[in-house]
Amino acid sequence: MAEVGDTSLQAPYDASEIVVELDGVSKRFGAKLAVADLSLTLRAGEVFAFLGPNGAGKTTTLKMTSGLLRTDTGSVTVCQHSMLREARLAKQHIAYVPDQPFLYDKLTGREFIGFVREMYGVPVGEGGERLAYLAKRLDMNGFLDRLAETYSHGMKQKVALAAALIHRPRLLIVDEPMVGLDPRTIRVIKTIFREIASEGGTVFMSTHTLDIAEQVADRIAIINLGRLIALGTLAELHASAAPGSRLEDIFLKLTDGDGEVTAAEPVEQPPAAG
Amino acid sequence: MYADSERQPKHALADAWLLMRCRARQLGNAVDQQLRETPFQTLAVLALLSLIWSALYLLLDNVLRLVGGWPLIGVVAKCQIFVNFFFVLAIMLAFSNAILAFGNLYGRDEAGQLITMPVQARNVILVKWLEGMLLSSWSFLLLGVPLMLAIAAQNRVAWYFYFLFTGHFVGFVVIPATAGVVLAWFVATFAPRRPLVLALWIGCGAVAVVVAWFWRISLSSGEADAWLRRMLEDLSFTRSIMLPSTWTAEGITCAIQGRVADSLFYLLVVAGNAVFLVWLTVNIIGATWSRTYSRAQHGRLQTTIRRGWVTEVLCRVLFGYLPRQLQLIMLKDVRNFARDATQWTQMAIMLGLLLLYAANLHRLPINAGSSSMQALVSFLNLTTVSLILATFTSRFVFPLLSLESQQLWLLSLLPIRRVTMLFVKFLFALTVTGASSLVVMGVAVFMLGLPLVWVQVNILLCFGVCVGLCGLSVGLGARFPVLGQRNPARIAAGIGGSINLIASMVFVAIVMLGMGVLTLREVRAAMGPGMPPVISPEGWRLYGMILGLCVAVAASALWIGARRFARLEF
């Protein structure tokens, strides 16, 4: 059985395969335009970081990708399945971890993960092995059999992430994954994200922590006032800004003002393979 | 190596079974935790619930015995009671299910989690419908058992009556529960932005219709008999054969009379309609769940508040006597209360209906010269207001301190003692409940034309009950806090909330018993045609003792709560 991190059992994958396609997606909440005509393509084997100020439209985009929200215009396709017409098939490939993960208070972490496992139709044996691996990796054995209502935020994040990974999703969508976690766990999660990508999976994450985006992401998108204002690899973003500037400088420069494009037009590049 | 959409084919109801097993597991864990951590409290609550249940049985038994004793019209009257009973319960069940279903299907937490999973939406709707029905109907079912036993005690029923009654009762619950889910779906689909505002308009509209109706029949019918006849004529639509409440009432009446075939006929009508309605609801709402969920999220936009000065002025008027620091805490609470429509609309509707009743008291066929009748009506008025206050304080005042646990990191840093916080909550609750209940009681005693001394007694005792109930709810809220919970309904439904509700009911029962005995004593001693214009010095002393009891109950509960609250670590 191939585990995250078990590179000896990697299966080959096609790095050009499109896993997520957002095509001209817009979303409006009353008078506020949360996302405006956003087009993005995420491919197999990449970690994609979504940056932007508060209220920029990051979470709305993630929610539309995961099927929580419907688009007003445009389309979302996950693994060749339209989120509008074939939502169940698309969702079979997705795992979503929100910024405030939901766990049933009166279930233990193990029971919750078991519930998610069964929902995705993962056989008991395979799920058990995977849970044992994830519990060890995320250091959850000390609290996995306690009721979720007793968990700290970090514990909840770990259990939610383990539940998300139990069915080996092709697309992991995570909203602010590192908030409230200790440095050791942050390191483990960063490693897990890279391993998922190296095995052909895709990680679509939003974050405010620019260092994490710099360290983990293959490509970075910056969104402001619902509009995509920059997209590319870290090197491409550096190239578009002043020489020697850091991601923080680029981010602040791009998001300062009215959200108009202040850098080079977004560029769409295939990611580096695994 | 990655998730395969054909990994394990699922049968049509697989997701529903999985969700139900998940619920069963949660319930099992909750019961296990309750029994392990607080076994004696659980037993005490169960014992007190059994007491209430027995009292309910005795009450229903007496009502049915009284009605059954009426010559000729006893059978018809019983059927009418059943019809109106089920009609009113159907409306209450539909609305409580609508509120539950809206949160369950279009809320953020579990619904948001499930919607990202490859789950069959119809399965989710089915489970949520079932769950909402059980949650909102448990009290109804609790009421059903004593009703069934009371009927059986009054009539020589055959063994099959119990099965027929249970079938009718369960079948009946399904229809309003489903109607509630449909109502929630309508709100999420057509008014997703302001569901509470819509509920408020519906509530106000309903109250306005009732007021207009009362006004109309009050103007057109001068005599009490004519007024009552006109009111019953207008309410005759509740007996329509097209209503499920009528089918259930008729079916139960047939079962009592041993007409099995007729009873079964009505049962099949109820069951057939219920099954069809459920099938339609699950399929329609399931097919549109994802779209409706997305629409419902639009309602959670931030609204700009421009009228903060209204609450500021109100707070200065009501709590101007307090130091500024405490006024600021009051302002926070007033704003929370004013901006939480679920709290004040329930209170406003209840208050409106009570005022309507009080304003029409002079229409009732009460002989103004009969002291016993006047005493009885004023006693019943005070009892009704007290019982409503008890449920209100248990539902809204008890959770106040638990809700503060979310912000206690902030409040703990303020230069205010924790005990003061309790006092502030008590004053806030007393101001809101005291003002509203005293208005109702004032109108009621004025309409009854009671002598001034009895007006004073009623108003004083009403205020005393407010003091006692607010003290109990704030004190026990501090003694049994539910930390980290944001939902006031869940806080009120917990073990501490149940203890508080029972304690409040017992307190009201004791005060009302004392009030009733004393009033009867004074009326009998005077032996005049109307209520006596003066109360004996001993009577005043005894009324004073009842007031003292109210204050003592409040002080004791606040003391117990303060001791626990001061030691509490967050």
Side-chain angles (χ1 to χ4, degrees):
Chain A
M1 175 191 142
E3 295 293 0
V4 170
D6 187 353
T7 51
S8 65
L9 293 173
Q10 278 182 25
Y13 67 91
D14 178 5
S16 65
E17 183 194 351
I18 293 173
V19 175
V20 178
E21 188 166 18
L22 305 180
D23 185 15
V25 166
S26 296
K27 184 72 185 173
R28 182 179 285 280
F29 293 111
K32 181 181 164 65
L33 186 62
V35 176
D37 194 26
L38 178 70
S39 294
L40 270 182
T41 303
L42 276 66
R43 295 171 194 276
E46 75 170 323
V47 177
F48 190 96
F50 213 32
L51 308 180
N54 291 328
K58 301 185 298 293
T59 299
T60 303
T61 306
L62 296 190
K63 284 183 173 178
M64 287 191 290
T65 310
S66 64
L68 264 172
L69 293 178
R70 290 212 166 192
T71 60
D72 290 341
T73 59
S75 64
V76 177
T77 309
V78 175
C79 297
Q80 282 83 53
H81 298 297
S82 161
M83 194 48 92
L84 194 65
R85 290 183 298 278
E86 303 168 300
R88 280 191 72 204
L89 288 174
K91 286 172 186 173
Q92 189 72 46
H93 299 285
I94 297 176
Y96 173 59
V97 184
D99 53 347
Q100 296 288 330
F102 168 79
L103 303 180
Y104 295 103
D105 280 349
K106 298 294 181 192
L107 287 189
T108 65
R110 190 183 301 281
E111 288 167 345
F112 176 74
I113 295 170
F115 165 73
V116 176
R117 174 193 64 71
E118 212 168 328
M119 191 61 88
Y120 283 94
V122 180
V124 178
E126 186 186 332
E129 287 177 30
R130 184 122 178 100
L131 174 58
Y133 168 77
L134 288 167
K136 189 177 172 194
R137 194 75 196 276
L138 290 164
D139 194 20
M140 300 192 300
N141 282 319
F143 59 85
L144 210 48
D145 292 309
R146 278 167 34 194
L147 289 184
E149 66 185 7
T150 64
Y151 289 178
S152 67
H153 176 74
M155 291 171 178
K156 284 184 180 174
Q157 282 279 56
K158 287 181 182 182
V159 171
L161 187 66
L165 294 174
I166 197 78
H167 71 289
R168 299 173 175 280
R170 296 204 62 190
L171 171 63
L172 175 64
I173 303 171
V174 270
D175 196 356
E176 294 292 349
M178 312 301 181
V179 173
L181 297 178
D182 60 76
R184 185 180 299 278
T185 311
I186 289 176
R187 167 67 70 87
V188 171
I189 290 177
K190 283 193 291 192
T191 311
I192 287 177
F193 285 179
R194 285 300 337 152
E195 288 168 356
I196 289 171
S198 70
E199 291 171 7
T202 303
V203 178
F204 187 10
M205 68 168 176
S206 82
T207 182
H208 285 297
T209 318
L210 303 180
D211 287 348
I212 288 169
E214 271 184 313
Q215 292 162 21
V216 182
D218 294 304
R219 284 194 303 154
I220 296 168
I222 301 177
I223 185 173
N224 193 22
L225 300 175
R227 294 181 189 282
L228 190 67
I229 55 174
L231 172 65
T233 61
L234 189 59
E236 286 163 354
L237 292 178
H238 278 305
S240 69
S245 56
R246 295 178 305 146
L247 181 59
E248 185 182 11
D249 302 322
I250 299 167
F251 177 83
L252 291 175
K253 184 183 168 192
L254 290 175
T255 56
D256 182 27
D258 57 5
E260 292 297 315
V261 176
T262 54
E265 284 298 314
V267 282
E268 187 70 21
Q269 297 283 339
Chain B
M1 64 180 283
Y2 281 105
D4 183 355
S5 54
E6 285 94 38
R7 193 192 305 250
Q8 266 191 0
K10 293 178 180 176
H11 62 81
L13 288 173
D15 294 333
W17 283 118
L18 177 57
L19 278 167
M20 281 193 264
R21 275 192 286 128
C22 177
R23 284 289 180 280
R25 172 72 72 172
Q26 288 174 66
L27 185 66
N29 285 348
V31 171
D32 179 55
Q33 183 189 29
Q34 193 74 50
L35 291 175
R36 269 190 293 111
E37 293 178 6
T38 51
F40 295 113
Q41 281 182 0
T42 311
L43 284 174
V45 169
L46 286 176
L48 286 167
L49 278 175
S50 306
L51 201 67
I52 291 175
W53 188 81
S54 306
L56 204 58
Y57 165 74
L58 289 173
L59 179 74
L60 289 166
D61 187 50
N62 276 309
V63 168
L64 291 178
R65 193 187 301 274
L66 180 73
V67 175
W70 294 346
L72 297 174
I73 59 165
V75 176
V76 180
K78 264 186 195 173
C79 192
Q80 288 305 308
I81 288 172
F82 289 149
V83 166
N84 290 316
F85 173 79
F86 284 109
F87 181 79
V88 172
L89 282 178
I91 293 172
M92 287 165 63
L93 275 175
F95 274 99
S96 63
N97 266 285
I99 293 166
L100 277 172
F102 192 86
N104 278 344
L105 291 174
Y106 309 112
R108 271 182 177 166
D109 290 342
E110 194 195 9
Q113 160 102 0
L114 291 174
I115 220 159
T116 61
M117 292 177 161
V119 62
Q120 291 221 29
R122 287 172 179 82
N123 282 211
V124 176
I125 306 296
L126 184 67
V127 174
K128 294 284 185 183
W129 162 79
L130 190 63
E131 190 180 296
M133 187 171 69
L134 290 174
L135 271 175
S136 68
S137 312
W138 73 269
S139 53
F140 180 46
L141 293 173
L142 197 70
L143 190 65
V145 179
L147 179 65
M148 180 175 75
L149 295 178
I151 292 171
Q154 293 292 315
N155 304 275
R156 287 168 182 266
V157 294
W159 58 270
Y160 48 77
F161 164 78
Y162 299 98
F163 294 97
L164 285 171
F165 184 93
T166 308
H168 278 292
F169 223 80
V170 173
F172 169 74
V173 168
V174 173
I175 294 177
T178 315
V181 176
V182 174
L183 198 60
W185 176 77
F186 263 103
V187 172
T189 306
F190 300 109
R193 298 200 178 163
R194 298 276 187 278
L196 284 176
V197 173
L198 181 75
L200 174 67
W201 279 110
I202 291 173
C204 291
V207 171
V209 167
V210 173
V211 170
W213 171 61
F214 252 79
W215 189 261
R216 190 169 58 85
I217 58 172
S218 295
L219 283 180
S220 61
S221 321
E223 294 298 316
D225 285 354
W227 177 80
L228 196 62
R229 202 177 305 116
R230 178 73 190 273
M231 191 177 77
L232 289 174
E233 276 171 15
D234 282 1
L235 285 176
S236 61
F237 71 91
T238 61
R239 301 189 290 275
S240 165
I241 196 65
M242 298 303 287
L243 291 173
S245 48
T246 309
W247 306 334
T248 303
E250 290 287 348
I252 288 176
T253 308
C254 293
I256 295 169
Q257 294 165 350
R259 290 152 53 202
V260 182
D262 291 342
S263 184
L264 278 174
F265 166 76
Y266 283 114
L267 184 57
L268 284 174
V269 172
V270 171
N273 280 279
V275 169
F276 176 67
L277 193 60
V278 172
W279 177 81
L280 204 64
T281 303
V282 166
N283 278 287
I284 290 176
I285 298 181
T288 56
W289 185 42
S290 166
R291 192 183 316 141
T292 318
Y293 178 88
S294 181
R295 281 177 68 85
Q297 306 313 304
H298 291 209
R300 301 198 168 90
L301 282 174
Q302 289 162 358
T303 311
T304 308
I305 306 285
R306 297 192 185 86
R307 293 179 297 281
W309 64 269
V310 177
T311 43
E312 173 90 41
V313 170
L314 185 69
C315 199
R316 280 185 186 274
V317 170
L318 290 175
F319 306 108
Y321 58 91
L322 290 173
R324 183 62 185 156
Q325 273 179 329
L326 301 189
Q327 272 189 47
L328 287 172
I329 296 176
M330 288 294 194
L331 180 61
K332 172 184 73 67
D333 285 344
V334 168
R335 284 182 171 160
N336 277 333
F337 181 74
R339 290 167 192 172
D340 187 352
T342 51
Q343 290 202 42
W344 65 263
T345 46
Q346 286 185 43
M347 191 168 172
I349 289 172
M350 193 57 77
L351 192 66
L353 291 174
L354 278 175
L355 275 173
L356 193 67
Y357 155 75
N360 277 280
L361 265 176
H362 65 288
R363 296 274 170 197
L364 292 177
I366 301 167
N367 181 2
S370 163
S371 58
S372 56
M373 185 56 85
Q374 277 189 327
L376 180 67
V377 174
S378 65
F379 168 75
L380 289 176
N381 287 344
L382 188 56
T383 308
T384 308
V385 170
S386 303
L387 288 173
I388 289 172
L389 271 178
T391 51
F392 185 82
T393 51
S394 299
R395 171 68 178 77
F396 294 111
V397 178
F398 177 81
L400 281 177
L401 274 167
S402 294
L403 290 172
E404 285 294 4
S405 68
Q406 308 284 338
Q407 289 85 30
L408 221 82
W409 63 272
L410 172 66
L411 297 174
S412 294
L413 295 176
L414 297 176
I416 297 172
R417 291 169 64 208
R418 282 194 184 178
V419 176
T420 312
M421 188 75 73
L422 238 72
F423 183 63
V424 168
K425 296 290 174 199
F426 172 70
L427 275 184
F428 176 75
L430 185 62
T431 307
V432 175
T433 55
S436 44
S437 55
L438 289 183
V439 166
V440 172
M441 278 310 295
V443 174
V445 290
F446 175 74
M447 287 296 173
L448 271 176
L450 294 179
L452 182 64
V453 71
W454 289 104
V455 171
Q456 290 168 344
V457 165
N458 274 277
I459 296 287
L460 273 175
L461 279 176
C462 181
F463 186 70
V465 169
C466 275
V467 170
L469 288 175
C470 290
L472 269 175
S473 290
V474 173
L476 294 181
R479 176 61 187 81
F480 302 106
V482 184
L483 304 179
Q485 177 59 261
R486 286 178 180 274
N487 186 344
R490 287 192 180 171
I491 296 169
I495 188 103
S498 306
I499 290 173
N500 179 60
L501 179 64
I502 291 164
S504 300
M505 291 296 177
V506 170
F507 166 72
V508 168
I510 291 170
V511 171
M512 288 305 117
L513 187 69
M515 156 88 177
V517 170
L518 281 181
T519 306
L520 197 63
R521 180 176 170 273
E522 289 293 320
V523 169
R524 281 190 178 164
M527 289 194 302
M531 292 287 280
V534 288
I535 294 175
S536 66
E538 196 189 350
W540 273 118
R541 268 198 302 279
L542 292 170
Y543 281 122
M545 283 175 68
I546 295 180
L547 275 176
L549 172 75
C550 296
V551 175
V553 165
S556 308
L558 286 170
W559 182 72
I560 291 169
R563 274 175 53 120
R564 168 90 168 112
F565 197 61
R567 290 199 303 266
L568 205 61
E569 290 182 346
F570 295 88

